[in-house]
Amino acid sequence: MNRQEFKARRERIEAHVQALRRHLVELTNLLHEEDGPLLARLAERVDSLVDETAWELGMGELEWDHDAPKFDHAGLAVADLEKAADFFIGLLGGTLHSGGTNDSAGLRSLIIKYPAGGKIELLQAVADNPVARFVAKRGEGVHHLTFFVKDLRASIEKFERAGCKVVGADFSSPNWWEAYISPPSAHGCLVQIVQVSQAYGKSGEGVTVEDVLADRWEWIDQNPRPRSLPGKS
Amino acid sequence: MPNNSTGPARRTGNAWIERLSRRELDRFVERAVLRKVADAGRNAPLYRWYYAKHGIRVENLKTLAEFREVVPPIAKPDILAFQNEGGVRIDDPRNRQFHLTSGTSGVGHELHPRTQSDIAALGTGGAYEFYWAGLVQGDRVLLTMPYSQTMAGPHFHMACEASGLVPINAFFTARTEERIQQLYRFECNGLIATPSYVHRMTLVARAAGRNPAADLPSLRAIVVSGESYGMEWATETAAFWGATLYEGWGATQTLGVVMATCEAGGVPVNASGTPRRGVMHGFDHRCFIEVLEPGTLRPVAPGEVGEIVVTTLRTKGLPSIRFRMGDRVRLLPHGTCGCGRPFSSYEAGTISRLDDMIKIRGMNVWPSAIDAVVFAGPVADYSGRIYTDDRGRESVELLVEPSVAIADAGSFVADLAERIKRHVGVNVDISLIALGSLSEVQFKARRWRDERAVLAGGRGSPAQ
């Protein structure tokens, strides 16, 4: 094989490895916690072997950082949850993934997924809170962007070292640790960084938009739970 | 690619790396090292702490020369100090395994957390070692290393996985004879062990009347690591088993094997039939290896002996950045082996601990040098003791277990003492003891006790 043929073959092989990497990113993004941990683990193992293959081909470190944050959803503050659901489910073709009322935060939410990928969270304030103040001050709109990270503590350290203001770090929930990067540090956007447990993210089986609007589901530890009926505790 | 005229045909594990030119490999290594140190300086808590302590920044280094000049070597006590102050996050969600160093230094166990990337990389070095030793997919190898919280067990398992070899686990039995039975039962093609344990297996096999060179034809390779060995011992051992002796070097800090002999083996034989020390090749694309003079930390010249200092390029959980291994090695000129690979070269068979050195009557003596003389003869094992005699003189005593019946004990002892004096330069008092008196070594041997401090200061031995 002459040098030109070798170079062409090398380029083809490297392109295949890069394509494998892209497919793994897509696969990882498509997998959700509700699929169970096994598939995510297999994807992680395959990915690390692709990385090792690239190294032994002399390609060096592939640019995809395994610990890079994964975008999960955009949170939209709305004034009327029912009307917003009509638009984002009825018109745009989303399906209800989960939802409920978080009594301690004073928020009612609908989490909506789209068949071809992507997720949004509609948030309506049911008490005085930052979302209520956001709507009062700015009107409806994108309230926050949520990124999942593998290690929240390490991420907080990283952003703080870079001079970002990180607020609201909360490690109290078993399924959901979170912190926020303040809008002045994130080009005007509130960025939520979250580390979730394996138990997070199960779809709310049986949850309907009507039930959420009627306050028949509560939102506890990032999972929906039916409220006990009166007299049946 | 043709090999040197007298050696075996070249066995290629990965042509993409092994056929790089030295210049291409150097460029790859420089890029990888600079990226690794920058990443560690930004993200690895150990190195953020260590570099802050030294008041240096490592993010914008431009060349390998700058890396060597700016980045301070780190050593075991630094890692232990950091870890003792709570510097390791046991609950880091990226952790997939923990490996502890064996603790033979006596100062503590380092904790090495491993990520999924580390696990994927764990066996690759071992795969090179096995391929170069002529072991191929489907071959069976007997693993005798302990499987515990140290890295040796997982490493050799993953090396088998990476190379397609079938591991036969000898961990389940402590008896050497049973392990030899497994070697025969599975018609193993390779044996993986420390030199001490290969020696033990040789003695047990011989005592049982076995003749593996004839009755175990499947065995082609004995792959040793962890200890130095003498050339005569290696030649006789290889002849007894009818196999070639190969060697690898690595450690917990390097994520497994990062140097190995190629197809030429640990003790190749010249065209004239004379054995010579083999060459270990550094896997430079996986681990940047420096050999430094321990006092000055300046690079030694080819041909000289110095301390191994490593920068690992494939570790994520806890990278080693200019980590001082405490092992001494002889750096060889590039191309010494003649096999044509672009890798750096080191003398096989002689790597030993720097801190094993014993000062006896003002002379620097390495136990490995005495091992080489003692095990060149019919000796099963020995133990050494340095003590202060009744007249206040430093004395050396060897208790030697012959492996065969000795007809003339006096001559045997006198001859051995004379050879030690000639090769190592010290006078020793030798006593013969019955076979089996010393406890059996199945991993790395520690044969020496320094009892001088007991008489001098009434304290425990500092050498243990």
Side-chain angles (χ1 to χ4, degrees):
Chain A
M1 190 184 298
N2 66 35
R3 197 158 183 83
Q4 209 165 8
E5 287 168 340
F6 176 76
K7 195 176 164 215
R9 184 165 160 262
R10 180 185 190 107
E11 282 170 2
R12 279 205 308 278
I13 289 172
E14 290 186 357
H16 279 295
V17 173
Q18 294 284 10
L20 270 173
R21 166 52 57 82
R22 280 197 305 278
H23 291 316
L24 278 162
V25 174
E26 287 165 21
L27 173 65
T28 306
N29 286 335
L30 284 171
L31 288 172
H32 290 284
E33 296 298 333
E34 68 198 70
D35 298 318
L38 186 67
L39 296 174
R41 278 287 298 131
L42 282 167
E44 184 187 41
R45 290 165 66 193
V46 173
D47 170 54
S48 64
L49 287 169
V50 170
D51 212 27
E52 182 68 359
T53 306
W55 191 271
E56 285 297 326
L57 283 166
M59 294 167 68
E61 197 93 57
L62 292 181
E63 288 305 323
W64 182 32
D65 178 358
H66 298 263
D67 300 322
K70 173 192 165 190
F71 177 66
D72 186 69
H73 68 266
L76 274 67
V78 300
D80 185 326
L81 202 56
E82 187 173 0
K83 283 186 181 165
D86 284 346
F87 178 80
F88 285 104
I89 294 176
L91 217 53
L92 267 178
T95 55
L96 184 67
H97 175 65
S98 194
T101 303
N102 183 335
D103 294 328
S104 60
L107 286 172
R108 185 165 297 143
S109 64
L110 293 171
I111 298 168
I112 296 164
K113 284 174 87 167
Y114 290 88
K119 201 160 69 168
I120 60 167
E121 179 184 25
L122 302 179
L123 291 161
Q124 182 187 341
V126 292
D128 184 33
N129 59 27
V131 172
R133 291 193 288 277
F134 177 94
V135 174
K137 189 174 170 186
R138 302 190 190 183
E140 294 181 311
V142 175
H143 175 262
H144 66 263
L145 300 178
T146 298
F147 292 84
F148 284 179
V149 295
K150 294 246 173 89
D151 184 341
L152 183 63
R153 285 194 172 90
S155 294
I156 291 172
E157 270 182 45
K158 182 174 106 179
F159 286 113
E160 287 182 337
R161 274 203 312 280
C164 298
K165 186 178 177 190
V166 181
V167 297
D170 184 350
F171 296 89
S172 60
S173 164
N175 298 329
W176 178 280
W177 292 352
E178 66 179 18
Y180 292 89
I181 303 167
S182 183
S185 300
H187 302 273
C189 180
L190 180 65
V191 172
Q192 184 185 37
I193 47 175
V194 174
Q195 180 183 331
V196 292
S197 75
Q198 296 290 356
Y200 164 74
K202 295 188 180 97
S203 69
E205 240 174 78
V207 180
T208 64
V209 173
E210 293 71 29
D211 280 346
V212 173
L213 295 175
D215 197 23
R216 285 194 279 270
W217 287 82
E218 59 184 332
W219 187 252
I220 292 180
D221 285 338
Q222 306 300 322
N223 281 312
R225 197 164 74 180
R227 287 195 192 278
S228 304
L229 296 175
K232 283 193 172 183
S233 63
Chain B
M1 185 173 290
N3 189 25
N4 55 2
S5 56
T6 56
R10 179 164 166 170
R11 300 165 184 151
T12 301
N14 175 10
W16 286 70
I17 298 295
E18 292 176 48
R19 289 183 186 160
L20 290 175
S21 68
R22 182 70 211 175
R23 202 169 158 198
E24 288 168 328
L25 181 60
D26 283 344
R27 277 205 300 265
F28 179 91
V29 171
E30 183 169 67
R31 278 198 307 271
V33 167
L34 297 177
R35 184 174 173 147
K36 194 75 194 169
V37 69
D39 182 56
R42 271 193 298 268
N43 298 317
L46 167 67
Y47 292 98
R48 286 209 308 273
W49 166 79
Y50 192 63
Y51 298 149
K53 198 169 101 174
H54 283 80
I56 60 159
R57 293 187 66 81
V58 296
E59 287 84 350
N60 296 311
L61 301 177
K62 297 284 185 292
T63 63
L64 213 46
E66 210 180 335
F67 167 80
R68 288 177 130 141
E69 193 183 309
V70 171
V71 178
I74 191 167
K76 186 181 192 76
D78 302 309
I79 293 185
L80 290 175
F82 177 74
Q83 298 194 337
N84 290 339
E85 290 168 17
V88 174
R89 276 195 51 208
I90 301 298
D91 63 346
D92 188 321
R94 293 166 299 181
N95 291 342
R96 296 290 177 270
Q97 286 184 15
F98 290 127
H99 296 153
L100 293 172
T101 52
S102 62
T104 48
S105 64
V107 296
H109 302 267
E110 292 162 42
L111 171 59
H112 288 256
R114 307 297 192 195
T115 66
Q116 189 63 46
S117 293
D118 295 335
I119 305 301
L122 183 56
T124 307
Y128 276 95
E129 178 183 31
F130 289 162
Y131 287 138
W132 291 354
L135 296 166
V136 296
Q137 189 164 310
D139 277 352
R140 296 153 310 281
V141 292
L142 188 80
L143 303 180
T144 64
M145 307 298 186
Y147 201 111
S148 63
Q149 203 60 46
T150 65
M151 193 209 54
H155 165 70
F156 282 105
H157 254 272
M158 291 303 288
C160 287
E161 153 83 12
S163 52
L165 303 190
V166 182
I168 306 300
N169 303 304
F171 318 125
F172 68 93
T173 174
R175 291 190 54 235
T176 301
E177 175 53 33
E178 285 173 352
R179 292 179 174 180
I180 294 170
Q181 285 167 13
Q182 302 305 326
L183 200 62
Y184 276 76
R185 179 186 178 188
F186 289 102
E187 298 175 10
C188 288
N189 310 101
L191 166 63
I192 318 298
T194 60
S196 287
Y197 196 58
V198 172
H199 187 58
R200 173 63 57 183
M201 291 180 82
T202 304
L203 296 174
V204 172
R206 191 175 276 144
R210 294 186 188 272
N211 179 14
D215 56 28
L216 185 59
S218 60
L219 190 70
R220 300 194 301 272
I222 298 173
V223 184
V224 297
S225 57
E227 294 172 332
S228 55
Y229 52 86
M231 282 200 292
E232 285 171 275
W233 172 85
T235 308
E236 284 174 18
T237 300
F240 175 73
W241 290 97
T244 305
L245 188 110
Y246 300 91
E247 184 185 357
W249 178 87
T252 306
Q253 295 87 350
T254 60
L255 196 68
V257 170
V258 291
M259 283 184 199
T261 51
C262 64
E263 54 280 336
V267 185
V269 178
N270 289 341
S272 61
T274 312
R276 59 183 162 87
R277 289 283 183 196
V279 175
M280 283 209 283
H281 302 284
F283 306 154
D284 303 325
H285 69 299
R286 304 185 63 80
C287 181
F288 174 56
I289 300 168
E290 300 171 80
V291 184
L292 306 182
E293 205 281 316
T296 63
L297 294 178
R298 291 197 182 119
V300 303
E304 291 179 351
V305 170
E307 180 178 3
I308 300 173
V309 176
V310 296
T311 298
T312 51
L313 305 176
R314 296 301 293 147
T315 45
K316 297 269 172 73
L318 180 61
S320 296
I321 311 282
R322 299 201 89 203
F323 180 82
R324 296 182 64 174
M325 291 298 310
D327 280 349
R328 62 194 285 275
V329 70
R330 184 179 303 283
L331 175 68
L332 299 176
H334 174 62
T336 297
C337 175
C339 70
R341 291 181 177 86
F343 304 123
S344 51
S345 302
Y346 310 90
E347 186 175 77
T350 57
I351 294 182
S352 59
R353 296 292 300 167
L354 274 169
D355 53 15
D356 274 355
M357 190 196 77
I358 308 168
K359 205 99 173 166
I360 302 175
R361 296 178 203 130
M363 285 182 60
N364 295 340
V365 175
W366 273 272
S368 56
I370 296 180
D371 289 357
V373 177
V374 173
F375 290 115
V379 171
D381 209 345
Y382 81 97
S383 93
R385 182 171 75 104
I386 312 154
Y387 64 103
T388 309
D389 70 12
D390 294 344
R391 288 186 285 174
R393 294 179 311 185
E394 286 182 0
S395 299
V396 184
E397 176 190 57
L398 255 57
L399 301 178
V400 174
E401 264 188 31
S403 57
V404 296
I406 303 293
D408 183 351
S411 297
F412 180 84
V413 163
D415 175 61
L416 182 55
E418 189 277 323
R419 283 190 293 122
I420 291 174
K421 173 70 179 170
R422 181 156 33 99
H423 290 288
V424 187
V426 291
N427 291 309
V428 296
D429 299 320
I430 297 174
S431 304
L432 299 187
I433 56 175
L435 185 63
S437 304
L438 300 171
S439 59
E440 184 176 311
V441 173
Q442 295 200 345
F443 193 41
K444 295 182 192 177
R446 287 188 73 79
R447 298 191 170 91
W448 283 84
R449 286 180 297 146
D450 186 344
E451 296 182 348
R452 285 172 293 188
V454 176
L455 286 176
R459 289 176 284 109
S461 165
Q464 293 182 49

Tab-separated table of all heavy atoms in Angstrom, chain A residues 15-51:
chain	number	residue	atom	x	y	z
A	15	ALA	N	-12.932	8.452	10.088
A	15	ALA	CA	-14.300	8.964	9.897
A	15	ALA	C	-15.311	8.009	10.532
A	15	ALA	O	-16.301	8.437	11.125
A	15	ALA	CB	-14.585	9.138	8.409
A	16	HIS	N	-15.048	6.694	10.396
A	16	HIS	CA	-15.967	5.724	11.011
A	16	HIS	C	-15.954	5.842	12.532
A	16	HIS	O	-16.998	5.731	13.175
A	16	HIS	CB	-15.597	4.303	10.585
A	16	HIS	CG	-16.112	3.937	9.232
A	16	HIS	ND1	-17.449	3.839	8.943
A	16	HIS	CD2	-15.470	3.667	8.079
A	16	HIS	CE1	-17.618	3.520	7.666
A	16	HIS	NE2	-16.412	3.416	7.116
A	17	VAL	N	-14.766	6.041	13.100
A	17	VAL	CA	-14.687	6.173	14.569
A	17	VAL	C	-15.431	7.431	15.020
A	17	VAL	O	-16.182	7.405	15.999
A	17	VAL	CB	-13.213	6.194	15.034
A	17	VAL	CG1	-13.120	6.494	16.518
A	17	VAL	CG2	-12.556	4.858	14.744
A	18	GLN	N	-15.242	8.508	14.282
A	18	GLN	CA	-15.958	9.748	14.631
A	18	GLN	C	-17.467	9.548	14.511
A	18	GLN	O	-18.240	10.050	15.337
A	18	GLN	CB	-15.515	10.908	13.721
A	18	GLN	CG	-14.063	11.326	13.895
A	18	GLN	CD	-13.825	12.148	15.157
A	18	GLN	OE1	-14.698	12.254	16.001
A	18	GLN	NE2	-12.631	12.701	15.292
A	19	ALA	N	-17.879	8.792	13.473
A	19	ALA	CA	-19.315	8.543	13.299
A	19	ALA	C	-19.857	7.716	14.457
A	19	ALA	O	-20.951	7.967	14.963
A	19	ALA	CB	-19.557	7.828	11.974
A	20	LEU	N	-19.061	6.710	14.883
A	20	LEU	CA	-19.463	5.907	16.046
A	20	LEU	C	-19.689	6.812	17.245
A	20	LEU	O	-20.656	6.669	17.988
A	20	LEU	CB	-18.353	4.910	16.404
A	20	LEU	CG	-18.383	3.539	15.742
A	20	LEU	CD1	-17.122	2.776	16.097
A	20	LEU	CD2	-19.595	2.763	16.227
A	21	ARG	N	-18.775	7.729	17.426
A	21	ARG	CA	-18.877	8.650	18.559
A	21	ARG	C	-20.163	9.486	18.469
A	21	ARG	O	-20.895	9.629	19.438
A	21	ARG	CB	-17.631	9.536	18.575
A	21	ARG	CG	-17.671	10.767	19.440
A	21	ARG	CD	-18.088	10.478	20.856
A	21	ARG	NE	-17.267	9.514	21.549
A	21	ARG	CZ	-16.107	9.787	22.134
A	21	ARG	NH1	-15.633	10.990	22.104
A	21	ARG	NH2	-15.449	8.861	22.770
A	22	ARG	N	-20.445	9.988	17.247
A	22	ARG	CA	-21.669	10.797	17.079
A	22	ARG	C	-22.909	9.959	17.378
A	22	ARG	O	-23.828	10.406	18.061
A	22	ARG	CB	-21.752	11.336	15.645
A	22	ARG	CG	-20.898	12.566	15.386
A	22	ARG	CD	-21.339	13.270	14.107
A	22	ARG	NE	-21.353	12.396	12.951
A	22	ARG	CZ	-20.268	12.095	12.222
A	22	ARG	NH1	-19.098	12.627	12.542
A	22	ARG	NH2	-20.345	11.297	11.185
A	23	HIS	N	-22.917	8.725	16.883
A	23	HIS	CA	-24.082	7.867	17.129
A	23	HIS	C	-24.247	7.601	18.622
A	23	HIS	O	-25.373	7.516	19.126
A	23	HIS	CB	-23.933	6.549	16.374
A	23	HIS	CG	-24.041	6.707	14.887
A	23	HIS	ND1	-25.005	7.482	14.294
A	23	HIS	CD2	-23.302	6.210	13.881
A	23	HIS	CE1	-24.852	7.451	12.982
A	23	HIS	NE2	-23.815	6.694	12.707
A	24	LEU	N	-23.126	7.452	19.314
A	24	LEU	CA	-23.216	7.187	20.763
A	24	LEU	C	-23.761	8.396	21.515
A	24	LEU	O	-24.506	8.250	22.477
A	24	LEU	CB	-21.838	6.800	21.313
A	24	LEU	CG	-21.504	5.328	21.096
A	24	LEU	CD1	-20.019	5.084	21.235
A	24	LEU	CD2	-22.281	4.456	22.075
A	25	VAL	N	-23.375	9.588	21.048
A	25	VAL	CA	-23.929	10.799	21.673
A	25	VAL	C	-25.441	10.804	21.484
A	25	VAL	O	-26.206	11.039	22.430
A	25	VAL	CB	-23.314	12.074	21.051
A	25	VAL	CG1	-24.006	13.318	21.594
A	25	VAL	CG2	-21.822	12.140	21.337
A	26	GLU	N	-25.865	10.487	20.244
A	26	GLU	CA	-27.307	10.480	19.976
A	26	GLU	C	-28.005	9.408	20.793
A	26	GLU	O	-29.076	9.634	21.375
A	26	GLU	CB	-27.562	10.260	18.483
A	26	GLU	CG	-27.225	11.494	17.650
A	26	GLU	CD	-27.119	11.184	16.157
A	26	GLU	OE1	-27.670	10.163	15.712
A	26	GLU	OE2	-26.457	11.973	15.448
A	27	LEU	N	-27.385	8.228	20.854
A	27	LEU	CA	-27.986	7.134	21.627
A	27	LEU	C	-28.126	7.537	23.092
A	27	LEU	O	-29.181	7.339	23.707
A	27	LEU	CB	-27.104	5.881	21.514
A	27	LEU	CG	-27.492	4.686	22.385
A	27	LEU	CD1	-28.849	4.139	21.972
A	27	LEU	CD2	-26.445	3.582	22.287
A	28	THR	N	-27.068	8.139	23.635
A	28	THR	CA	-27.109	8.535	25.044
A	28	THR	C	-28.199	9.575	25.285
A	28	THR	O	-28.901	9.528	26.289
A	28	THR	CB	-25.732	9.103	25.458
A	28	THR	OG1	-24.743	8.125	25.127
A	28	THR	CG2	-25.665	9.367	26.945
A	29	ASN	N	-28.345	10.478	24.332
A	29	ASN	CA	-29.384	11.508	24.499
A	29	ASN	C	-30.786	10.936	24.398
A	29	ASN	O	-31.715	11.440	25.022
A	29	ASN	CB	-29.198	12.620	23.470
A	29	ASN	CG	-28.024	13.508	23.830
A	29	ASN	OD1	-27.657	13.597	25.006
A	29	ASN	ND2	-27.415	14.133	22.849
A	30	LEU	N	-30.924	9.881	23.595
A	30	LEU	CA	-32.256	9.288	23.444
A	30	LEU	C	-32.645	8.431	24.646
A	30	LEU	O	-33.819	8.246	24.931
A	30	LEU	CB	-32.311	8.433	22.173
A	30	LEU	CG	-32.412	9.226	20.865
A	30	LEU	CD1	-32.233	8.307	19.673
A	30	LEU	CD2	-33.762	9.926	20.777
A	31	LEU	N	-31.645	7.892	25.323
A	31	LEU	CA	-31.949	7.030	26.465
A	31	LEU	C	-32.384	7.874	27.652
A	31	LEU	O	-31.811	8.920	27.915
A	31	LEU	CB	-30.716	6.208	26.857
A	31	LEU	CG	-30.333	5.079	25.895
A	31	LEU	CD1	-28.997	4.481	26.301
A	31	LEU	CD2	-31.412	4.003	25.880
A	32	HIS	N	-33.404	7.406	28.334
A	32	HIS	CA	-33.867	8.099	29.526
A	32	HIS	C	-33.796	7.145	30.693
A	32	HIS	O	-33.700	5.933	30.535
A	32	HIS	CB	-35.303	8.592	29.331
A	32	HIS	CG	-35.392	9.698	28.345
A	32	HIS	ND1	-35.008	10.983	28.649
A	32	HIS	CD2	-35.770	9.713	27.047
A	32	HIS	CE1	-35.173	11.739	27.588
A	32	HIS	NE2	-35.621	10.993	26.592
A	33	GLU	N	-33.859	7.724	31.861
A	33	GLU	CA	-33.763	6.909	33.075
A	33	GLU	C	-34.856	5.854	33.117
A	33	GLU	O	-34.675	4.774	33.648
A	33	GLU	CB	-33.838	7.804	34.312
A	33	GLU	CG	-32.673	8.767	34.434
A	33	GLU	CD	-31.326	8.073	34.572
A	33	GLU	OE1	-31.288	6.940	35.072
A	33	GLU	OE2	-30.329	8.678	34.163
A	34	GLU	N	-36.007	6.168	32.525
A	34	GLU	CA	-37.106	5.207	32.574
A	34	GLU	C	-36.772	3.944	31.783
A	34	GLU	O	-37.408	2.908	31.956
A	34	GLU	CB	-38.383	5.836	32.032
A	34	GLU	CG	-38.323	6.116	30.547
A	34	GLU	CD	-39.379	7.116	30.106
A	34	GLU	OE1	-39.259	8.307	30.448
A	34	GLU	OE2	-40.315	6.687	29.448
A	35	ASP	N	-35.775	4.025	30.875
A	35	ASP	CA	-35.369	2.832	30.141
A	35	ASP	C	-34.606	1.857	31.031
A	35	ASP	O	-34.316	0.735	30.619
A	35	ASP	CB	-34.480	3.221	28.952
A	35	ASP	CG	-35.210	4.102	27.959
A	35	ASP	OD1	-36.391	3.810	27.680
A	35	ASP	OD2	-34.625	5.096	27.496
A	36	GLY	N	-34.296	2.303	32.230
A	36	GLY	CA	-33.531	1.456	33.145
A	36	GLY	C	-32.051	1.750	33.015
A	36	GLY	O	-31.607	2.256	31.982
A	37	PRO	N	-31.285	1.421	34.038
A	37	PRO	CA	-29.862	1.800	34.026
A	37	PRO	C	-28.986	0.943	33.118
A	37	PRO	O	-27.922	1.364	32.722
A	37	PRO	CB	-29.443	1.631	35.498
A	37	PRO	CG	-30.407	0.641	36.060
A	37	PRO	CD	-31.694	0.817	35.314
A	38	LEU	N	-29.459	-0.255	32.770
A	38	LEU	CA	-28.577	-1.182	32.052
A	38	LEU	C	-28.157	-0.639	30.682
A	38	LEU	O	-26.979	-0.706	30.306
A	38	LEU	CB	-29.267	-2.535	31.891
A	38	LEU	CG	-28.381	-3.623	31.289
A	38	LEU	CD1	-27.255	-3.980	32.238
A	38	LEU	CD2	-29.191	-4.853	30.952
A	39	LEU	N	-29.111	-0.094	29.942
A	39	LEU	CA	-28.791	0.383	28.590
A	39	LEU	C	-27.840	1.574	28.645
A	39	LEU	O	-26.914	1.685	27.826
A	39	LEU	CB	-30.079	0.756	27.856
A	39	LEU	CG	-31.030	-0.423	27.604
A	39	LEU	CD1	-32.344	0.058	27.011
A	39	LEU	CD2	-30.379	-1.448	26.688
A	40	ALA	N	-28.066	2.441	29.628
A	40	ALA	CA	-27.173	3.598	29.770
A	40	ALA	C	-25.758	3.137	30.108
A	40	ALA	O	-24.769	3.681	29.607
A	40	ALA	CB	-27.702	4.532	30.852
A	41	ARG	N	-25.663	2.109	30.944
A	41	ARG	CA	-24.341	1.575	31.306
A	41	ARG	C	-23.662	0.960	30.082
A	41	ARG	O	-22.470	1.138	29.858
A	41	ARG	CB	-24.477	0.507	32.397
A	41	ARG	CG	-24.595	1.054	33.783
A	41	ARG	CD	-23.260	1.619	34.294
A	41	ARG	NE	-22.231	0.607	34.382
A	41	ARG	CZ	-21.010	0.733	33.899
A	41	ARG	NH1	-20.655	1.855	33.311
A	41	ARG	NH2	-20.127	-0.227	34.014
A	42	LEU	N	-24.437	0.211	29.297
A	42	LEU	CA	-23.850	-0.401	28.098
A	42	LEU	C	-23.344	0.677	27.154
A	42	LEU	O	-22.251	0.564	26.593
A	42	LEU	CB	-24.890	-1.289	27.398
A	42	LEU	CG	-25.101	-2.655	28.057
A	42	LEU	CD1	-26.352	-3.325	27.512
A	42	LEU	CD2	-23.892	-3.564	27.850
A	43	ALA	N	-24.139	1.738	27.005
A	43	ALA	CA	-23.710	2.838	26.125
A	43	ALA	C	-22.432	3.468	26.662
A	43	ALA	O	-21.518	3.798	25.903
A	43	ALA	CB	-24.822	3.873	26.017
A	44	GLU	N	-22.349	3.617	27.977
A	44	GLU	CA	-21.147	4.197	28.578
A	44	GLU	C	-19.936	3.299	28.323
A	44	GLU	O	-18.840	3.777	28.002
A	44	GLU	CB	-21.352	4.377	30.088
A	44	GLU	CG	-20.184	5.062	30.764
A	44	GLU	CD	-20.296	5.095	32.291
A	44	GLU	OE1	-20.719	4.090	32.896
A	44	GLU	OE2	-19.927	6.108	32.881
A	45	ARG	N	-20.133	1.996	28.438
A	45	ARG	CA	-19.011	1.070	28.235
A	45	ARG	C	-18.560	1.081	26.772
A	45	ARG	O	-17.365	1.088	26.473
A	45	ARG	CB	-19.412	-0.341	28.674
A	45	ARG	CG	-19.569	-0.444	30.193
A	45	ARG	CD	-20.299	-1.691	30.614
A	45	ARG	NE	-19.573	-2.905	30.324
A	45	ARG	CZ	-20.114	-4.131	30.378
A	45	ARG	NH1	-21.388	-4.270	30.699
A	45	ARG	NH2	-19.398	-5.186	30.111
A	46	VAL	N	-19.538	1.053	25.864
A	46	VAL	CA	-19.188	1.084	24.436
A	46	VAL	C	-18.434	2.372	24.126
A	46	VAL	O	-17.413	2.376	23.444
A	46	VAL	CB	-20.462	0.982	23.562
A	46	VAL	CG1	-20.110	1.190	22.092
A	46	VAL	CG2	-21.127	-0.369	23.755
A	47	ASP	N	-18.942	3.455	24.684
A	47	ASP	CA	-18.322	4.752	24.419
A	47	ASP	C	-16.866	4.782	24.880
A	47	ASP	O	-15.976	5.274	24.171
A	47	ASP	CB	-19.126	5.840	25.131
A	47	ASP	CG	-18.397	7.158	25.100
A	47	ASP	OD1	-18.042	7.585	24.001
A	47	ASP	OD2	-18.155	7.741	26.167
A	48	SER	N	-16.609	4.230	26.055
A	48	SER	CA	-15.232	4.268	26.557
A	48	SER	C	-14.323	3.404	25.678
A	48	SER	O	-13.144	3.707	25.497
A	48	SER	CB	-15.173	3.827	28.026
A	48	SER	OG	-15.570	2.489	28.151
A	49	LEU	N	-14.881	2.337	25.103
A	49	LEU	CA	-14.073	1.502	24.203
A	49	LEU	C	-13.826	2.207	22.865
A	49	LEU	O	-12.765	2.047	22.263
A	49	LEU	CB	-14.752	0.141	23.986
A	49	LEU	CG	-14.665	-0.786	25.204
A	49	LEU	CD1	-15.571	-1.996	25.030
A	49	LEU	CD2	-13.222	-1.257	25.442
A	50	VAL	N	-14.794	2.987	22.414
A	50	VAL	CA	-14.579	3.778	21.188
A	50	VAL	C	-13.446	4.779	21.426
A	50	VAL	O	-12.559	4.966	20.586
A	50	VAL	CB	-15.881	4.515	20.773
A	50	VAL	CG1	-15.599	5.521	19.661
A	50	VAL	CG2	-16.922	3.505	20.312
A	51	ASP	N	-13.462	5.363	22.610
A	51	ASP	CA	-12.420	6.311	22.986
A	51	ASP	C	-11.040	5.640	22.971
A	51	ASP	O	-10.055	6.186	22.450
A	51	ASP	CB	-12.732	6.788	24.415
A	51	ASP	CG	-12.294	8.201	24.647
A	51	ASP	OD1	-12.237	8.961	23.676
A	51	ASP	OD2	-11.999	8.531	25.807
